[in-house]
Amino acid sequence: MNRGSTGLAIAVLGALLLCATPTGAQEAGSGSAAGRDARRPRIGLALSGGAARGFAHVGVLQAIEEAGVPIDVIAGTSMGSVIGGLYAAGLSTNELLDVAARVDWDRVFNDAPDRRNLPIERKVEEGRTAFSLPIVAGRPRLPSGIIEGQRISQVLTGLTWRVHPVRDFTKLPVPFAAVATDAETGEAVVLDRGFLPQAMRASLAIPSVFAPVEIDGRYLIDGGIVRNLPTPEVAALGADIIICSDVTRPLATADSLRTLVDILTQTMAYRTVERRDADAELCDVMIRPDIQGIESADFARALEIIARGRSAADTVLAELADLGLVGVVTPAAAADEDPWAERARIVEVRVKGLERSSETSVLRSLGLTVPADLGVRQVNDAVSRVYDTGMFESVSYRLDAPEGAPGAGERILVLEVEDHGRSWVGAGYRYEARYKASILATAAVRNLLLRGSTLLADLRLGEQTRASAEYQKRWGLGVAPLFALQAEYKRSPFDLYVDGSRVTEPRVTVQHIKGFLGLGIGYAVEVGAAVKFEGVEADEADQIAGWNSGDHTYFTLAGLVKVDTRDRLAFPRSGVQVLGRAEWVDGSLSRSGDGFSQYQVSVDAAVPISRKVSLLGGVVAGTTQGSDVPPPYLFFIGGANPFYLYPDRQFSFAGQRVMEGRGHHVQLLDVDLQWEVLPNLFAIGRWNTAALPAEWRFDASDFITGFGIGAGATSRLGSAKLMLTGGSDADAERLEIDVGFLF
């Protein structure tokens, strides 16, 4: 007798018994094992892997629940383990819908730090590279996955607070097992005990995308490699009847195999589909949602995919009724809770895995005061702050019950860190209208000489050349001493204009050694003083009056105030960036012996008007006192997009070409309207006005205006901006493009 016939016989017998049972003895709630009528068959649910297609399982669960079909046990693979594990932990289908709709999946599958969690001295590292490789034992190496999985682990951990102390998954509200693959042996590994979020994370560790998860000395990857439809695991949990929800992508047809990627994907799918077909023979009821046109990464289509799952489940209700499974339990009232609203009484924080860092520094970054009643978002944000310091490869957490459970509902927050620091080497690219293509090679090395330090090295190649190395050390967060030592070389053409025409472009070379000592205040503020020894060599430019060519050597002293709270570098939606600088320059070592001083205040702000629209504004005021001013210390304006070789003194200005305006003084006002038409796709409108007077004054006749309209986009491959600009002093409208990363 085959599996289906056996299941049918059991179902008929169970139905007869149920008919003989008094109504008051039948289940009135969920189909969990607790309180289940032992005389009816146990119903199990097998959920396949399928990445974003796995959202269809939520719709399947909805339809099954509403039909009064009990679910006694669940097993899942990959995305099926996530949906199944969360449901087994007690999340309702409404809560699963909420998770699918509200989670920022682009963010979840990207471990890049939140820019606002970076100390201000480290914000320069963000948003400059197309890819990076970890540095291990002093050498770059290929990572075990594109992403470590930090964010997805935090999401799964936050959604399962209510069952953190449960180590035996058969003791969950619905008994559960996840399936992973042993990366060493290729064997299927059944995860039915341990820490539930870790088990789900291991089951969905797609090779080359997510790093493997180590559990009990085994490196585990996506279970779909060996068992994408976990029917044997459902049977092992004691199921008599198995309902299967399968979103495995079918093998492609010959006419669709057109590219190398198509062929590679097909060859990898052979074993998965073959094994799936064998495991499907254990299914008594098969539900196969329509996944036509749904790609693995279509997480933004979650609600559509859920609807497809529900529709597919509705088509098998008659089959479930024939098995006597419909109406067995009374559907529970639809729960309408916020899955992120869970709270716990945290009475203690413990940190495990420390090697190089101190517990004090971790707790300071965590920023939580206990005992306290804390919510999921509070704890997840705190854990993100620890991870974003860059001093740990990963940071995970769990809520343990105190030994002896001295207080009902009390929990201990246990952080586990991999304390090796995230040292890395990476590369970025950029193409823009004036300087064409540039590439950046950059590296950050943690804990060199001093614990908690960073060595940041840059090499920019292109028409603008830059090489620098900066060593930073900050003693804690809050208000803490901050030290930096930098050596830098840069060489760039300077475009010089007369009456709107570029007449020459002399090269200027700058070399300096700079030391900074001050205070870091929180994540956003830096205050201190810098001393610098600088050499400047400028080519001749006889056509330009006042051009200070030749070799110069300077010693400078500067007072600096910096503030940076922007949420992102490209197309910020909110936050401010402030620079206050007073610099005194001693030219006694140069040929002329003259010196000068310079003062500057610049403020850039982004203010959200609505969820999609932000108002951006900028104000700059700068003045120079003295005549012997080398070219890099002049103020320059021009170009629709900023460039960062001389970031303190060169400002973007629509209506002027790059560096078209220059002077000893600058006054600038900029207003932009930014509309995110679609996710990561922007429409931009801009107006600006500026003056570069020969002497410091405010006179309306000195000002020129400019405007720009355009579009922009961001992705993991960088940002792109296309702007049509013009202005009162422009000879014609111009189209300007900037593609890549901002460095």
Side-chain angles (χ1 to χ4, degrees), residues 187 310 345 453 657:
E187 297 173 343
R310 182 180 183 121
R345 179 70 177 174
S453 66
R657 287 166 289 190

Side-chain angles (χ1 to χ4, degrees), residues 663-735:
H664 286 61
H665 315 281
V666 64
Q667 299 149 13
L668 186 150
L669 173 65
D670 180 38
V671 180
D672 298 53
L673 192 65
Q674 177 179 286
W675 174 30
E676 192 168 5
V677 182
L678 295 171
N680 302 315
L681 181 64
F682 303 87
I684 307 159
R686 182 176 187 183
W687 176 87
N688 48 217
T689 183
L692 295 159
E695 59 184 35
W696 182 258
R697 66 181 184 184
F698 288 98
D699 189 328
S701 64
D702 292 332
F703 282 81
I704 59 174
T705 61
F707 65 85
I709 56 172
T714 61
S715 73
R716 296 187 183 184
L717 298 178
S719 62
K721 185 189 288 186
L722 185 67
M723 293 285 289
L724 177 66
T725 67
S728 63
D729 202 40
D731 53 3
E733 288 73 33
R734 283 183 291 273
L735 195 62

Side-chain angles (χ1 to χ4, degrees), residues 639-675:
N641 300 294
F643 61 101
Y644 295 95
L645 207 64
Y646 301 96
D648 296 347
R649 291 176 286 270
Q650 298 182 350
F651 307 100
S652 168
F653 188 85
Q656 294 271 286
R657 287 166 289 190
V658 174
M659 305 179 78
E660 186 172 350
R662 72 183 187 281
H664 286 61
H665 315 281
V666 64
Q667 299 149 13
L668 186 150
L669 173 65
D670 180 38
V671 180
D672 298 53
L673 192 65
Q674 177 179 286
W675 174 30

Side-chain angles (χ1 to χ4, degrees), residues 115 126-128 566-574 606 616 642 644 674 676 680 682 684 712-715 718-721 738 740-742:
R115 192 172 189 276
E126 184 267 344
R128 304 192 307 156
R566 291 183 300 176
D567 59 343
R568 57 190 185 189
L569 192 59
F571 305 105
R573 286 173 286 204
S574 63
L616 282 65
Y644 295 95
Q674 177 179 286
E676 192 168 5
N680 302 315
F682 303 87
I684 307 159
T714 61
S715 73
S719 62
K721 185 189 288 186
D738 196 320
F741 295 85
L742 301 178

Side-chain angles (χ1 to χ4, degrees), residues 412-462:
I412 298 172
L413 174 60
V414 180
L415 267 66
E416 294 195 9
V417 302
E418 290 189 45
D419 191 8
H420 303 295
R422 293 200 309 280
S423 298
W424 51 267
V425 58
Y429 71 94
R430 188 176 184 187
Y431 178 87
E432 39 92 15
R434 169 60 185 93
Y435 296 110
K436 308 307 183 212
S438 300
I439 61 172
L440 174 73
T442 182
V445 180
R446 314 291 184 206
N447 300 315
L448 184 67
L449 301 180
L450 295 174
R451 187 171 64 187
S453 66
T454 296
L455 174 64
L456 183 65
D458 283 351
L459 176 61
R460 173 177 176 155
L461 300 176

Side-chain angles (χ1 to χ4, degrees), residues 516-641:
F516 173 85
L517 184 62
L519 294 175
I521 304 173
Y523 294 94
V525 180
E526 174 182 298
V527 180
V531 293
K532 180 171 62 175
F533 184 77
E534 182 170 72
V536 179
E537 179 182 348
D539 291 350
E540 298 288 342
D542 296 334
Q543 307 93 323
I544 305 301
W547 178 256
N548 194 4
S549 62
D551 297 338
H552 307 270
T553 305
Y554 296 99
F555 177 81
T556 74
L557 173 66
L560 299 169
V561 177
K562 294 182 180 180
V563 180
D564 191 343
T565 66
R566 291 183 300 176
D567 59 343
R568 57 190 185 189
L569 192 59
F571 305 105
R573 286 173 286 204
S574 63
V576 299
Q577 186 178 47
V578 178
L579 171 65
R581 177 174 60 91
E583 191 161 7
W584 298 270
V585 183
D586 179 7
S588 60
L589 298 177
S590 66
R591 293 180 307 170
S592 64
D594 294 333
F596 61 94
S597 59
Q598 193 169 73
Y599 309 89
Q600 174 193 340
V601 175
S602 58
V603 180
D604 290 289
V607 180
I609 298 175
S610 68
R611 193 167 61 90
K612 295 289 187 180
V613 179
S614 293
L615 181 66
L616 282 65
V619 177
V620 178
T623 182
T624 309
Q625 305 297 321
S627 58
D628 185 28
V629 182
Y633 279 85
L634 293 172
F635 294 107
F636 288 84
I637 64 171
N641 300 294

